[in-house]
Amino acid sequence: MTATPAIETLVVKVGTSTLTAGTSHLNRRRMLEIAQQIVCAREQGVRVALVSSGAMAAGRERLGLEKRNGRLPLPEKQMLAAVGQTHLMALWEQIFGMFDVRVAQVLLTRADLSDRRRYLNARDTLRAILDHDILPIINENDAVTTEEIRVGDNDNLSALVTNVLDADLLLILSDIDGLFTADPRKDKRATLIGEVREIDDRIRALAGGSKTGLGVGGMSTKIQAAELVTRAGASMIVAQGARPNVILDAIGGRPVGTRFLPVVTQIESRKRWILSERTSGAFVADDGAVRALKSGKSLLPVGVKTVVGEFERGEFVAVRDAQGREVARGITRYSARDASRIAGKRSDQIEKILGYNYAPMLIHADDLVVL
Ligand code: GLU
């Protein structure tokens, strides 16, 4: 077994099949078991975000429909999700409330996670929720998302959330034990693969097109999720949601399900990402600010003399020294228009000048690569 570094941030995804325990209703007992483990993880100091499916299943339960969604027209599925999402959240809130854990609902679409500006917004909101010790419970905004703008399955959604949060581990709880050498329902000799170091064609082929019960995911969406997560430097585990202590064992590094190992470090991955993008402008920084950046600090407006070019919040911007040399590159929290109004000013004046403030810095140290 590989030594597992301590988990700081964990994303837990629970699929519909886990929440319903294979029935057509939400299984309260299962939800309670999951909540108890999340509470324990939080007590160990782990920051946890929960991606919960089950909105449509909850809607079906609420409206007393027994049938599956397969044949329903899209607006009716969306109606089920709209009815079910509040029901699902009410249950989670009640269950976590027993442990004095406050929850926040975050409904996302693909655009929230791909458009730069909205990506920053989603990330800052999620971080603020975690910083306040609140448990974010995330789902896709099914009621209003159509085919073109939806992620479509919560395996991929939870992978995007893992990357947005720079989490160390994504734990996908499902009704399967993990990835097998063959389909265990058809082949008795199938064995569980404990660890995957590289997702190659053989692994993709094993995932096939398997699909389970009421949810929309299968092994193939889990492999897609694993590719997203491991390429960004985090690990992912697929495990049986009904297994006692599965969450606590996963964060403790004990063997559960199938663990997909990261292929790069998080720092390398972020660096590669930032350096691979074209910059749309530059901040010209004074010597003090350049020194601060080199010692790992954020770029504050007070250290910026001029703003060059046109860019929006969330775009990639170069940082140049007084001689015009590029010394760093990162994601800006303010547009060029706003930045030029606050350049040279102290951070506590941002609100007064702009009428709002996204953050005290122009580029956060986490979003910055020093060259
Ligand atoms: N967002 C869907 C729901 O809550 C689930 C998607 C999935 O199962 O992957 O019902």
PDB file of all heavy atoms in Angstrom, residues 13-16 52-57 69 81 85 88 139-142 150 152-155 157 214-217, ligand 1:
ATOM      1  N   LYS A  13     -18.782  12.243  -3.344  1.00  0.00           N
ATOM      2  CA  LYS A  13     -19.927  12.230  -4.250  1.00  0.00           C
ATOM      3  C   LYS A  13     -20.771  11.004  -3.940  1.00  0.00           C
ATOM      4  O   LYS A  13     -20.257   9.883  -3.931  1.00  0.00           O
ATOM      5  CB  LYS A  13     -19.447  12.188  -5.707  1.00  0.00           C
ATOM      6  CG  LYS A  13     -20.579  12.184  -6.734  1.00  0.00           C
ATOM      7  CD  LYS A  13     -20.820  10.837  -7.346  1.00  0.00           C
ATOM      8  CE  LYS A  13     -22.048  10.822  -8.239  1.00  0.00           C
ATOM      9  NZ  LYS A  13     -22.258   9.528  -8.904  1.00  0.00           N
ATOM     10  N   VAL A  14     -22.058  11.223  -3.662  1.00  0.00           N
ATOM     11  CA  VAL A  14     -22.939  10.080  -3.462  1.00  0.00           C
ATOM     12  C   VAL A  14     -23.918   9.984  -4.618  1.00  0.00           C
ATOM     13  O   VAL A  14     -24.632  10.944  -4.929  1.00  0.00           O
ATOM     14  CB  VAL A  14     -23.753  10.114  -2.142  1.00  0.00           C
ATOM     15  CG1 VAL A  14     -23.098   9.274  -1.093  1.00  0.00           C
ATOM     16  CG2 VAL A  14     -23.957  11.506  -1.641  1.00  0.00           C
ATOM     17  N   GLY A  15     -23.931   8.828  -5.208  1.00  0.00           N
ATOM     18  CA  GLY A  15     -24.797   8.595  -6.364  1.00  0.00           C
ATOM     19  C   GLY A  15     -26.207   8.234  -5.920  1.00  0.00           C
ATOM     20  O   GLY A  15     -26.444   7.870  -4.761  1.00  0.00           O
ATOM     21  N   THR A  16     -27.127   8.335  -6.870  1.00  0.00           N
ATOM     22  CA  THR A  16     -28.522   8.014  -6.590  1.00  0.00           C
ATOM     23  C   THR A  16     -28.668   6.586  -6.075  1.00  0.00           C
ATOM     24  O   THR A  16     -29.399   6.328  -5.113  1.00  0.00           O
ATOM     25  CB  THR A  16     -29.361   8.202  -7.872  1.00  0.00           C
ATOM     26  OG1 THR A  16     -29.194   9.549  -8.318  1.00  0.00           O
ATOM     27  CG2 THR A  16     -30.829   7.942  -7.630  1.00  0.00           C
ATOM     28  N   SER A  52     -24.193  15.707  -3.982  1.00  0.00           N
ATOM     29  CA  SER A  52     -25.282  14.749  -3.777  1.00  0.00           C
ATOM     30  C   SER A  52     -26.185  14.664  -5.002  1.00  0.00           C
ATOM     31  O   SER A  52     -26.781  15.642  -5.425  1.00  0.00           O
ATOM     32  CB  SER A  52     -26.119  15.163  -2.561  1.00  0.00           C
ATOM     33  OG  SER A  52     -27.253  14.325  -2.454  1.00  0.00           O
ATOM     34  N   SER A  53     -26.297  13.480  -5.546  1.00  0.00           N
ATOM     35  CA  SER A  53     -27.299  13.211  -6.582  1.00  0.00           C
ATOM     36  C   SER A  53     -28.615  12.930  -5.874  1.00  0.00           C
ATOM     37  O   SER A  53     -28.738  13.173  -4.683  1.00  0.00           O
ATOM     38  CB  SER A  53     -26.886  11.990  -7.412  1.00  0.00           C
ATOM     39  OG  SER A  53     -25.630  12.188  -7.987  1.00  0.00           O
ATOM     40  N   GLY A  54     -29.539  12.418  -6.627  1.00  0.00           N
ATOM     41  CA  GLY A  54     -30.772  11.972  -5.989  1.00  0.00           C
ATOM     42  C   GLY A  54     -31.924  12.946  -6.066  1.00  0.00           C
ATOM     43  O   GLY A  54     -32.984  12.690  -5.488  1.00  0.00           O
ATOM     44  N   ALA A  55     -31.739  14.081  -6.772  1.00  0.00           N
ATOM     45  CA  ALA A  55     -32.835  15.048  -6.852  1.00  0.00           C
ATOM     46  C   ALA A  55     -34.033  14.436  -7.575  1.00  0.00           C
ATOM     47  O   ALA A  55     -35.179  14.572  -7.131  1.00  0.00           O
ATOM     48  CB  ALA A  55     -32.377  16.318  -7.553  1.00  0.00           C
ATOM     49  N   MET A  56     -33.721  13.761  -8.676  1.00  0.00           N
ATOM     50  CA  MET A  56     -34.853  13.199  -9.423  1.00  0.00           C
ATOM     51  C   MET A  56     -35.520  12.068  -8.652  1.00  0.00           C
ATOM     52  O   MET A  56     -36.757  11.963  -8.633  1.00  0.00           O
ATOM     53  CB  MET A  56     -34.389  12.750 -10.802  1.00  0.00           C
ATOM     54  CG  MET A  56     -34.329  13.941 -11.729  1.00  0.00           C
ATOM     55  SD  MET A  56     -34.307  13.495 -13.431  1.00  0.00           S
ATOM     56  CE  MET A  56     -32.604  13.117 -13.638  1.00  0.00           C
ATOM     57  N   ALA A  57     -34.698  11.270  -7.995  1.00  0.00           N
ATOM     58  CA  ALA A  57     -35.265  10.191  -7.178  1.00  0.00           C
ATOM     59  C   ALA A  57     -36.136  10.788  -6.063  1.00  0.00           C
ATOM     60  O   ALA A  57     -37.234  10.290  -5.787  1.00  0.00           O
ATOM     61  CB  ALA A  57     -34.150   9.343  -6.581  1.00  0.00           C
ATOM     62  N   ASN A  69     -37.129   7.350 -14.807  1.00  0.00           N
ATOM     63  CA  ASN A  69     -37.235   8.562 -15.627  1.00  0.00           C
ATOM     64  C   ASN A  69     -37.046   8.347 -17.117  1.00  0.00           C
ATOM     65  O   ASN A  69     -37.286   9.245 -17.897  1.00  0.00           O
ATOM     66  CB  ASN A  69     -36.166   9.569 -15.228  1.00  0.00           C
ATOM     67  CG  ASN A  69     -36.102   9.729 -13.745  1.00  0.00           C
ATOM     68  OD1 ASN A  69     -37.146   9.786 -13.127  1.00  0.00           O
ATOM     69  ND2 ASN A  69     -34.923   9.781 -13.214  1.00  0.00           N
ATOM     70  N   ALA A  81     -36.699  17.099 -10.841  1.00  0.00           N
ATOM     71  CA  ALA A  81     -35.491  17.563 -10.157  1.00  0.00           C
ATOM     72  C   ALA A  81     -35.799  18.788  -9.300  1.00  0.00           C
ATOM     73  O   ALA A  81     -35.303  18.925  -8.187  1.00  0.00           O
ATOM     74  CB  ALA A  81     -34.400  17.885 -11.172  1.00  0.00           C
ATOM     75  N   GLN A  85     -35.114  18.480  -5.515  1.00  0.00           N
ATOM     76  CA  GLN A  85     -33.941  19.140  -4.945  1.00  0.00           C
ATOM     77  C   GLN A  85     -34.242  19.731  -3.561  1.00  0.00           C
ATOM     78  O   GLN A  85     -33.443  19.606  -2.643  1.00  0.00           O
ATOM     79  CB  GLN A  85     -33.428  20.217  -5.923  1.00  0.00           C
ATOM     80  CG  GLN A  85     -32.171  20.932  -5.453  1.00  0.00           C
ATOM     81  CD  GLN A  85     -30.960  20.012  -5.303  1.00  0.00           C
ATOM     82  OE1 GLN A  85     -30.799  19.032  -6.025  1.00  0.00           O
ATOM     83  NE2 GLN A  85     -30.109  20.315  -4.345  1.00  0.00           N
ATOM     84  N   LEU A  88     -34.619  16.854  -1.117  1.00  0.00           N
ATOM     85  CA  LEU A  88     -33.301  16.286  -0.833  1.00  0.00           C
ATOM     86  C   LEU A  88     -32.542  17.167   0.160  1.00  0.00           C
ATOM     87  O   LEU A  88     -31.979  16.688   1.149  1.00  0.00           O
ATOM     88  CB  LEU A  88     -32.535  16.181  -2.160  1.00  0.00           C
ATOM     89  CG  LEU A  88     -31.137  15.598  -2.156  1.00  0.00           C
ATOM     90  CD1 LEU A  88     -31.178  14.121  -1.769  1.00  0.00           C
ATOM     91  CD2 LEU A  88     -30.503  15.734  -3.556  1.00  0.00           C
ATOM     92  N   ASN A 139     -25.083  20.077  -6.376  1.00  0.00           N
ATOM     93  CA  ASN A 139     -25.700  19.230  -7.401  1.00  0.00           C
ATOM     94  C   ASN A 139     -25.707  20.040  -8.686  1.00  0.00           C
ATOM     95  O   ASN A 139     -25.428  21.246  -8.682  1.00  0.00           O
ATOM     96  CB  ASN A 139     -27.130  18.832  -7.003  1.00  0.00           C
ATOM     97  CG  ASN A 139     -27.667  17.644  -7.810  1.00  0.00           C
ATOM     98  OD1 ASN A 139     -26.994  17.116  -8.717  1.00  0.00           O
ATOM     99  ND2 ASN A 139     -28.885  17.233  -7.487  1.00  0.00           N
ATOM    100  N   GLU A 140     -26.004  19.389  -9.785  1.00  0.00           N
ATOM    101  CA  GLU A 140     -26.158  20.162 -11.008  1.00  0.00           C
ATOM    102  C   GLU A 140     -27.508  20.878 -10.927  1.00  0.00           C
ATOM    103  O   GLU A 140     -28.449  20.386 -10.303  1.00  0.00           O
ATOM    104  CB  GLU A 140     -26.127  19.239 -12.232  1.00  0.00           C
ATOM    105  CG  GLU A 140     -26.240  19.998 -13.524  1.00  0.00           C
ATOM    106  CD  GLU A 140     -25.330  19.463 -14.620  1.00  0.00           C
ATOM    107  OE1 GLU A 140     -25.207  18.229 -14.737  1.00  0.00           O
ATOM    108  OE2 GLU A 140     -24.753  20.279 -15.373  1.00  0.00           O
ATOM    109  N   ASN A 141     -27.565  22.065 -11.535  1.00  0.00           N
ATOM    110  CA  ASN A 141     -28.816  22.825 -11.506  1.00  0.00           C
ATOM    111  C   ASN A 141     -29.781  22.231 -12.538  1.00  0.00           C
ATOM    112  O   ASN A 141     -30.088  22.848 -13.548  1.00  0.00           O
ATOM    113  CB  ASN A 141     -28.534  24.297 -11.764  1.00  0.00           C
ATOM    114  CG  ASN A 141     -29.695  25.183 -11.374  1.00  0.00           C
ATOM    115  OD1 ASN A 141     -30.753  24.670 -10.982  1.00  0.00           O
ATOM    116  ND2 ASN A 141     -29.520  26.470 -11.480  1.00  0.00           N
ATOM    117  N   ASP A 142     -30.247  21.033 -12.248  1.00  0.00           N
ATOM    118  CA  ASP A 142     -31.007  20.245 -13.230  1.00  0.00           C
ATOM    119  C   ASP A 142     -32.276  20.935 -13.729  1.00  0.00           C
ATOM    120  O   ASP A 142     -32.685  20.736 -14.867  1.00  0.00           O
ATOM    121  CB  ASP A 142     -31.425  18.901 -12.613  1.00  0.00           C
ATOM    122  CG  ASP A 142     -30.235  17.988 -12.347  1.00  0.00           C
ATOM    123  OD1 ASP A 142     -29.372  17.896 -13.229  1.00  0.00           O
ATOM    124  OD2 ASP A 142     -30.186  17.381 -11.274  1.00  0.00           O
ATOM    125  N   ARG A 150     -25.244  21.426 -19.741  1.00  0.00           N
ATOM    126  CA  ARG A 150     -25.104  20.638 -18.517  1.00  0.00           C
ATOM    127  C   ARG A 150     -23.870  19.744 -18.568  1.00  0.00           C
ATOM    128  O   ARG A 150     -23.374  19.392 -19.624  1.00  0.00           O
ATOM    129  CB  ARG A 150     -26.375  19.828 -18.244  1.00  0.00           C
ATOM    130  CG  ARG A 150     -26.687  18.717 -19.214  1.00  0.00           C
ATOM    131  CD  ARG A 150     -28.131  18.364 -19.076  1.00  0.00           C
ATOM    132  NE  ARG A 150     -28.377  18.066 -17.690  1.00  0.00           N
ATOM    133  CZ  ARG A 150     -28.816  16.890 -17.249  1.00  0.00           C
ATOM    134  NH1 ARG A 150     -29.053  15.921 -18.093  1.00  0.00           N
ATOM    135  NH2 ARG A 150     -29.019  16.675 -15.963  1.00  0.00           N
ATOM    136  N   GLY A 152     -24.100  16.880 -17.025  1.00  0.00           N
ATOM    137  CA  GLY A 152     -24.855  15.686 -17.394  1.00  0.00           C
ATOM    138  C   GLY A 152     -24.781  14.560 -16.381  1.00  0.00           C
ATOM    139  O   GLY A 152     -25.711  13.794 -16.250  1.00  0.00           O
ATOM    140  N   ASP A 153     -23.670  14.437 -15.688  1.00  0.00           N
ATOM    141  CA  ASP A 153     -23.585  13.406 -14.658  1.00  0.00           C
ATOM    142  C   ASP A 153     -22.752  13.928 -13.507  1.00  0.00           C
ATOM    143  O   ASP A 153     -21.871  14.745 -13.687  1.00  0.00           O
ATOM    144  CB  ASP A 153     -22.980  12.132 -15.224  1.00  0.00           C
ATOM    145  CG  ASP A 153     -21.531  12.330 -15.581  1.00  0.00           C
ATOM    146  OD1 ASP A 153     -20.685  12.173 -14.693  1.00  0.00           O
ATOM    147  OD2 ASP A 153     -21.247  12.685 -16.744  1.00  0.00           O
ATOM    148  N   ASN A 154     -23.062  13.439 -12.329  1.00  0.00           N
ATOM    149  CA  ASN A 154     -22.399  13.966 -11.138  1.00  0.00           C
ATOM    150  C   ASN A 154     -21.000  13.410 -10.920  1.00  0.00           C
ATOM    151  O   ASN A 154     -20.274  13.918 -10.070  1.00  0.00           O
ATOM    152  CB  ASN A 154     -23.285  13.757  -9.912  1.00  0.00           C
ATOM    153  CG  ASN A 154     -24.354  14.838  -9.808  1.00  0.00           C
ATOM    154  OD1 ASN A 154     -24.409  15.738 -10.640  1.00  0.00           O
ATOM    155  ND2 ASN A 154     -25.189  14.745  -8.792  1.00  0.00           N
ATOM    156  N   ASP A 155     -20.618  12.367 -11.665  1.00  0.00           N
ATOM    157  CA  ASP A 155     -19.228  11.915 -11.565  1.00  0.00           C
ATOM    158  C   ASP A 155     -18.330  13.015 -12.129  1.00  0.00           C
ATOM    159  O   ASP A 155     -17.382  13.456 -11.477  1.00  0.00           O
ATOM    160  CB  ASP A 155     -19.015  10.617 -12.354  1.00  0.00           C
ATOM    161  CG  ASP A 155     -19.791   9.460 -11.741  1.00  0.00           C
ATOM    162  OD1 ASP A 155     -19.942   9.443 -10.509  1.00  0.00           O
ATOM    163  OD2 ASP A 155     -20.250   8.579 -12.493  1.00  0.00           O
ATOM    164  N   LEU A 157     -19.217  16.135 -12.712  1.00  0.00           N
ATOM    165  CA  LEU A 157     -19.430  17.362 -11.936  1.00  0.00           C
ATOM    166  C   LEU A 157     -18.551  17.351 -10.670  1.00  0.00           C
ATOM    167  O   LEU A 157     -17.894  18.343 -10.344  1.00  0.00           O
ATOM    168  CB  LEU A 157     -20.906  17.506 -11.541  1.00  0.00           C
ATOM    169  CG  LEU A 157     -21.232  18.772 -10.752  1.00  0.00           C
ATOM    170  CD1 LEU A 157     -21.290  19.985 -11.679  1.00  0.00           C
ATOM    171  CD2 LEU A 157     -22.558  18.654 -10.005  1.00  0.00           C
ATOM    172  N   LEU A 214     -30.999   3.854 -11.111  1.00  0.00           N
ATOM    173  CA  LEU A 214     -31.744   5.082 -11.389  1.00  0.00           C
ATOM    174  C   LEU A 214     -30.874   6.278 -11.774  1.00  0.00           C
ATOM    175  O   LEU A 214     -31.370   7.275 -12.270  1.00  0.00           O
ATOM    176  CB  LEU A 214     -32.549   5.486 -10.141  1.00  0.00           C
ATOM    177  CG  LEU A 214     -33.531   4.450  -9.595  1.00  0.00           C
ATOM    178  CD1 LEU A 214     -33.959   4.835  -8.193  1.00  0.00           C
ATOM    179  CD2 LEU A 214     -34.736   4.361 -10.503  1.00  0.00           C
ATOM    180  N   GLY A 215     -29.596   6.243 -11.469  1.00  0.00           N
ATOM    181  CA  GLY A 215     -28.721   7.376 -11.766  1.00  0.00           C
ATOM    182  C   GLY A 215     -28.356   7.424 -13.232  1.00  0.00           C
ATOM    183  O   GLY A 215     -28.822   6.616 -14.026  1.00  0.00           O
ATOM    184  N   VAL A 216     -27.533   8.397 -13.590  1.00  0.00           N
ATOM    185  CA  VAL A 216     -27.152   8.491 -14.999  1.00  0.00           C
ATOM    186  C   VAL A 216     -25.718   8.044 -15.231  1.00  0.00           C
ATOM    187  O   VAL A 216     -25.294   7.873 -16.354  1.00  0.00           O
ATOM    188  CB  VAL A 216     -27.351   9.922 -15.557  1.00  0.00           C
ATOM    189  CG1 VAL A 216     -28.796  10.322 -15.488  1.00  0.00           C
ATOM    190  CG2 VAL A 216     -26.478  10.914 -14.827  1.00  0.00           C
ATOM    191  N   GLY A 217     -24.958   7.869 -14.183  1.00  0.00           N
ATOM    192  CA  GLY A 217     -23.541   7.529 -14.346  1.00  0.00           C
ATOM    193  C   GLY A 217     -23.337   6.046 -14.560  1.00  0.00           C
ATOM    194  O   GLY A 217     -24.260   5.254 -14.558  1.00  0.00           O
TER     195      GLY A 217
HETATM  196  N1  GLU B   1     -28.197  15.574 -10.857  1.00  0.00           N
HETATM  197  C1  GLU B   1     -28.917  14.317 -10.885  1.00  0.00           C
HETATM  198  C2  GLU B   1     -29.879  14.200  -9.708  1.00  0.00           C
HETATM  199  O1  GLU B   1     -29.677  14.792  -8.688  1.00  0.00           O
HETATM  200  C3  GLU B   1     -28.000  13.124 -10.794  1.00  0.00           C
HETATM  201  C4  GLU B   1     -26.978  13.023 -11.829  1.00  0.00           C
HETATM  202  C5  GLU B   1     -26.239  11.687 -11.649  1.00  0.00           C
HETATM  203  O2  GLU B   1     -26.814  10.749 -11.120  1.00  0.00           O
HETATM  204  O3  GLU B   1     -25.071  11.622 -12.037  1.00  0.00           O
HETATM  205  O4  GLU B   1     -30.834  13.486  -9.774  1.00  0.00           O
END
